[in-house]
């Protein structure tokens, strides 16, 4: 039917297929895409955004399939008219702008290619963290890049770590609980023969597919969830938490539940994991407490004028790694020593052991206060002052703070 923008000026408002103008370019996967190259389509979008900011008082926008915004005749353009107009607009230049940096068209994967002022969902972060902790498909070098804010992806054109929106799960894919409860997707209820949804989940069922009453399996799943959430909150960049992950929500292995309005996709408040909720709140409080976890500049490892290094990467023997040692034995054990980011702060030490066996970790010189221990339910961190060596349990993470005058 000839309705709405199609009825006004179909060719101006939409991307049409060259030589076959009856058909739309399906960059969005939903049948059409606004053509922001045209001044009137661009004006419509900008006027709408200003209305939402000025009248509805939104803080910003998250764009699904955002490369469509910069689609030109030759593909995605990071200097497209839409981006230039937003950047110079006195209203829109000051709000949050977040891109899902891929669309459904050819050349649609554009993570890291949006202009300054934009933050992007970091799929490199998602895959690396899952792979390191769960499927063992990523080593500590890849994890270190993600912990440090992904400068290899976003460190250009004056962008900062805030360009990276870090996440482990989102509305697309497994929930956090399902990520450690299923080896494969279970989308049979979607009516597409389980062909829909991604097969690249980097998940692990911990020995049993789906729900189980086995205490050992459930304990391992809980430990992995705590480690994944801690990694997210201790990484440079902007953490994004999928609603429901903090209370253990499951979709029973369905990783494409958009088509359901049922118990499969609802929140089951009666079964909410109170301990996990409290643990997540504790992580958020830790992130807010330590400014060094929320830096505005990239970690470099270099020594500042006051003699402090912002980060030092340590191997499983507690020794700073050189370039060759990153790929040596112990690729799932990593220490991250963060220097203070401002006067009055103490150094922080993150110790990670994603291997299946415990490890006694040699601590840097001085005394350290344990602040977080994901090996224990609730992340309990008793008032423990550590020095010398510290036991890092299998598949767990610890956060320690240097006592004043006690550590380098």
């Amino acid at each position: 039917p000839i309705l709405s923008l199609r009825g006004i000026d179909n060719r101006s408002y939409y991307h049409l297929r060259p030589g076959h103008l009856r058909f739309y370019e399906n960059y969005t996967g939903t049948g059409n895409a606004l053509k922001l190259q045209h001044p009137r389509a661009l004006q419509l979008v900008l006027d709408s955004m200003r209305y939402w900011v000025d009248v509805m008082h939104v803080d910003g926008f998250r764009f699904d399939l955002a490369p469509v915004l910069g689609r030109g005749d030759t593909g995605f353009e990071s200097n497209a008219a839409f981006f230039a107009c937003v950047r110079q607009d006195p209203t829109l230049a000051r709000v949050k702008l977040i891109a899902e940096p891929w669309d459904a068209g050819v050349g649609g994967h554009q993570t890291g290619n949006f202009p300054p002022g934009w933050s992007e969902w970091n799929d490199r972060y998602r895959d690396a963290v899952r792979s390191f902790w769960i499927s063992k498909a990523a080593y500590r070098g890849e994890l270190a890049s993600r912990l440090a804010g992904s400068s290899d992806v976003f460190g250009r054109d004056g962008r900062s770590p805030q360009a990276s929106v870090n996440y482990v799960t989102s509305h697309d894919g497994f929930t956090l609980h399902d990520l450690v409860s299923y080896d494969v997707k279970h989308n049979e209820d979607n009516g597409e023969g389980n062909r829909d949804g991604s097969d690249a989940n980097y998940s692990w069922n911990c020995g049993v597919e789906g729900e189980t009453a086995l205490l050992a399996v459930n304990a391992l799943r809980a430990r992995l969830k705590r480690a994944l959430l801690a990694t997210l909150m201790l990484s440079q960049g902007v953490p994004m938490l999928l609603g429901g992950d903090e209370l253990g929500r499951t979709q029973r292995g369905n990783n494409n539940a958009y088509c359901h309005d049922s118990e499969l996709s609802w929140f089951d408040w009666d079964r909410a994991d109170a301990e996990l909720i409290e643990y997540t709140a504790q992580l958020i409080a830790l992130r807010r407490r330590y400014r060094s976890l929320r830096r505005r500049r990239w970690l470099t490892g270099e020594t500042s004028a006051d003699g402090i290094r912002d980060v030092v990467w340590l191997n499983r023997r507690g020794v700073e790694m050189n370039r060759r040692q990153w790929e040596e034995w112990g690729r799932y054990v990593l220490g991250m020593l963060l220097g203070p980011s401002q006067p009055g702060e103490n150094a922080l030490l993150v110790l990670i052991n994603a291997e299946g066996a415990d490890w006694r970790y040699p601590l840097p010189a001085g005394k350290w206060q344990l602040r977080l221990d994901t090996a224990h339910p609730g992340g309990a961190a008793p008032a423990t002052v550590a020095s010398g060596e510290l036991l890092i349990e299998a598949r767990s993470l610890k956060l320690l703070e240097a006592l004043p005058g006690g550590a380098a």
Side-chain angles (χ1 to χ4, degrees):
I2 307 301
L3 302 173
S4 191
L5 302 181
R6 183 181 183 184
I8 297 173
D9 191 345
N10 191 50
R11 185 177 299 191
S12 295
Y13 280 104
Y14 294 111
H15 286 280
L16 304 180
R17 199 170 299 172
H20 302 277
L21 301 183
R22 290 181 55 203
F23 301 100
Y24 297 94
E25 291 283 15
N26 195 18
Y27 301 136
T28 64
T30 58
N32 54 52
L34 277 179
K35 185 180 179 181
L36 298 191
Q37 295 165 284
H38 194 280
R40 296 289 74 78
L42 180 61
Q43 180 185 6
L44 173 65
V45 172
L46 295 173
D47 288 349
S48 299
M49 291 173 65
R50 279 190 290 267
Y51 176 85
W52 278 96
V53 174
D54 291 335
V55 180
M56 307 301 289
H57 304 293
V58 303
D59 295 320
F61 303 89
R62 181 270 186 187
F63 291 91
D64 202 51
L65 306 163
V68 171
L69 302 170
R71 284 274 182 182
D73 294 334
T74 59
F76 177 80
E77 301 169 357
S78 60
N79 61 347
F82 172 78
F83 299 131
C85 289
V86 167
R87 191 169 187 176
Q88 59 80 42
D89 188 284
T91 296
L92 301 181
R94 59 183 173 84
V95 303
K96 297 179 177 67
L97 298 167
I98 302 172
E100 180 190 44
W102 49 83
D103 64 23
V106 175
H109 194 276
Q110 295 293 332
T111 304
N113 293 329
F114 280 71
W118 284 76
S119 297
E120 303 174 39
W121 278 25
N122 189 351
D123 56 316
R124 290 276 299 275
Y125 182 95
R126 174 199 64 201
D127 293 346
V129 172
R130 290 186 181 192
S131 298
F132 182 86
W133 281 106
I134 299 175
S135 65
K136 298 296 186 292
Y139 298 145
R140 60 189 174 195
E142 177 72 10
L143 182 72
S145 295
R146 306 307 143 228
L147 287 169
S150 298
S151 62
D152 57 326
V153 180
F154 302 103
R156 60 172 183 80
D157 297 334
R159 303 180 81 183
S160 73
Q162 280 62 49
S164 176
V165 176
N166 302 326
Y167 69 106
V168 178
T169 56
S170 69
H171 65 279
D172 291 323
F174 280 149
T175 66
L176 182 67
H177 180 79
D178 291 355
L179 190 65
V180 296
S181 303
Y182 295 89
D183 274 353
V184 295
K185 66 186 182 184
H186 293 271
N187 297 355
E188 291 82 5
D189 289 343
N190 296 356
E192 298 186 36
N194 204 34
R195 294 185 301 272
D196 63 313
S198 176
D199 292 312
N201 296 298
Y202 307 102
S203 62
W204 180 36
N205 64 20
C206 295
V208 178
E209 188 75 356
E211 298 304 309
T212 180
L214 292 176
L215 297 180
V217 172
N218 287 328
L220 176 55
R221 290 174 178 177
R223 179 179 288 203
L224 283 171
K225 284 191 283 187
R226 292 193 297 268
L228 289 163
L229 288 171
T231 302
L232 177 65
M233 290 299 170
L234 299 179
S235 298
Q236 303 296 321
V238 181
M240 184 182 82
L241 180 67
L242 174 64
D245 278 356
E246 78 284 5
L247 51 87
R249 189 176 76 90
T250 179
Q251 293 179 168
R252 299 197 293 273
N254 193 312
N255 74 351
N256 196 31
Y258 76 97
C259 53
H260 292 272
D261 181 10
S262 66
E263 292 181 357
L264 184 72
S265 56
W266 296 343
F267 279 49
D268 188 347
W269 297 105
D270 293 333
R271 297 184 62 187
D273 186 336
E275 186 174 78
L276 188 59
I277 294 172
E278 178 60 30
Y279 170 75
T280 306
Q282 178 187 350
L283 289 177
I284 295 171
L286 282 171
R287 183 175 178 86
R288 296 187 66 177
R289 177 177 179 177
Y290 297 113
R291 190 176 182 87
S292 57
L293 299 174
R294 300 176 281 111
R295 298 174 190 255
R296 295 287 179 175
R297 296 183 179 179
W298 300 107
L299 298 173
T300 66
E302 298 175 356
T303 304
S304 65
D306 52 8
I308 296 175
R309 296 177 67 183
D310 54 10
V311 67
V312 178
W313 301 102
L314 308 173
N315 65 15
R316 65 190 298 142
R317 299 186 182 89
V319 176
E320 181 178 3
M321 284 184 283
N322 58 36
R323 187 179 300 273
R324 177 178 55 83
Q325 291 171 329
W326 281 96
E327 297 301 323
E328 287 184 345
W329 176 67
R331 289 178 285 189
Y332 297 104
V333 177
L334 177 67
M336 179 175 68
L337 178 60
L338 289 172
S341 63
Q342 61 183 9
E345 276 194 346
N346 300 319
L348 296 178
L349 179 62
V350 180
L351 299 178
I352 295 172
N353 178 16
E355 295 186 348
D358 298 347
W359 181 255
R360 297 200 68 84
Y361 196 92
L363 296 173
K367 294 184 178 180
W368 298 84
Q369 177 74 56
L370 186 62
R371 296 301 184 192
L372 176 70
D373 187 354
T374 68
H376 301 288
T384 300
V385 176
S387 61
E389 286 187 346
L390 183 64
L391 180 68
I392 311 298
E393 290 85 348
R395 299 187 176 95
S396 72
L397 175 156
K398 282 180 170 61
L399 173 68
L400 300 97
E401 180 180 4
L403 294 179

